[in-house]
Amino acid sequence: MPVQRPLRFLRPYQADTLLALAKGFALRPGATFTVLFPRQAGKNEVAASLVGSLLSQNYSAGGSVIVCAPTFSPQAEISINRARKAMETLQRILPAERQPRLSGATITLGEATATFLSASPEAHVAGHTASLALIADEAQEIDADWFNRQFRPMAASTAAPTVFFGTPWNGESMLDLAVAANRLADARDPRFPPRHLEVPWTEVAHCIPVYGDYIRAERDRLGANHPLFLTQYELVPVTEAGRLFATEDLDL
């Protein structure tokens, strides 16, 4: 899948991630990919650009992208707005007859569509098909059983790739388990493109110095071993991350 020109508006680490996903889609049909970015590093822009690229590439051939988030409001709505902005970037380089349309929770470009859904167990999502990609944002917050029952079958007949975006949590979330599985798979088969993609906060700080200042301040404020700092910025899952006290504190 060639990536369209919107990647020029991404930071280098974002563009590298998008390119790796594009190559992974082409070389690993039906695979599950995992993407970890530290908080506020722009993973949503990568997901939105991925949607825009898929729609643009499949303007004539058609196909469907399904994007889900833990809730529709506000999380899926935020994803819709980010994808719309990515499509506005495309509008600058597309001819007038190739302009995207937004209707409700669906973006249409030619014959291709992207539909945004809630992954909440209360949502009714049956009947959708993902022929181009199945994307889960904040996947660490989505119930694995519900996703496997309601969303996985959407790609059953299409071999569409699945992408989990998010940050680690307690080592047992849907995202954490998929990351662990992908790391093992990549270790067995280290050829590019990898199934797991990860950007450390230091790489983000290289592009955005003030981001690095903020992270270092948070490390000083919370402590380097604080569960929130480890999961949100160091991208390390922490067992029982919700505890107020560390294990050694509880022992004392």
Side-chain angles (χ1 to χ4, degrees):
M1 180 196 77
V3 174
Q4 302 298 316
R5 288 175 62 188
L7 67 83
R8 69 162 56 180
F9 301 102
L10 298 175
R11 301 182 192 108
Y13 64 88
Q14 293 174 309
D16 289 345
T17 301
L18 182 59
L19 285 169
L21 285 172
K23 291 182 179 179
F25 282 18
L27 298 177
R28 303 185 189 276
T32 295
F33 299 87
T34 49
V35 181
L36 297 184
F37 273 34
R39 285 294 181 193
Q40 296 300 312
K43 68 176 172 56
N44 297 100
E45 293 174 354
V46 175
S49 296
L50 176 62
V51 170
S53 295
L54 287 167
L55 295 184
S56 180
Q57 181 64 26
N58 292 277
Y59 176 90
S60 298
S64 53
V65 180
I66 298 296
V67 183
C68 68
T71 62
F72 187 81
S73 181
Q75 289 166 306
E77 291 176 332
I78 292 173
S79 295
I80 293 171
N81 288 332
R82 290 187 183 276
R84 179 179 54 79
K85 289 179 180 178
M87 299 304 293
E88 288 174 355
T89 300
L90 273 177
Q91 285 177 321
R92 305 174 194 173
I93 59 176
L94 291 175
E97 67 273 12
R98 285 197 173 201
Q99 297 302 308
R101 304 187 307 277
L102 174 62
S103 177
T106 298
I107 297 175
T108 301
L109 184 62
E111 299 300 316
T113 63
T115 301
F116 297 78
L117 302 170
S118 168
S120 167
E122 289 76 32
H124 300 286
V125 298
H128 291 278
T129 299
S131 62
L132 301 177
L134 175 59
I135 300 172
D137 190 29
E138 301 296 349
Q140 74 278 3
E141 298 179 17
I142 296 175
D143 180 77
D145 290 339
W146 179 254
F147 183 88
N148 289 333
R149 185 164 66 251
Q150 296 294 329
F151 286 92
R152 284 280 190 191
M154 294 179 185
S157 63
T158 63
T162 298
V163 188
F164 291 163
F165 287 91
T167 54
W169 188 231
N170 62 0
E172 299 179 358
S173 72
M174 180 175 74
L175 175 63
D176 290 334
L177 295 175
V179 167
N182 276 352
R183 283 175 172 156
L184 287 174
D186 287 339
R188 291 193 298 265
D189 179 16
R191 295 173 301 167
F192 188 85
R195 296 168 180 83
H196 176 63
L197 300 162
E198 182 172 319
V199 175
W201 69 263
T202 51
E203 187 171 346
V204 181
H206 181 73
C207 295
I208 315 171
V210 293
Y211 184 84
D213 295 339
Y214 173 81
I215 300 304
R216 285 184 283 271
E218 284 295 278
R219 183 175 59 195
D220 293 341
R221 183 178 72 87
L222 296 171
N225 293 320
H226 192 284
L228 288 179
F229 184 79
L230 288 173
T231 56
Q232 305 297 290
Y233 301 111
E234 291 287 3
L235 305 179
V236 176
V238 179
T239 303
E240 299 177 329
R243 281 183 171 179
L244 178 62
F245 299 106
T247 300
E248 56 268 25
D249 296 324
L250 293 172
D251 289 341
L252 288 173

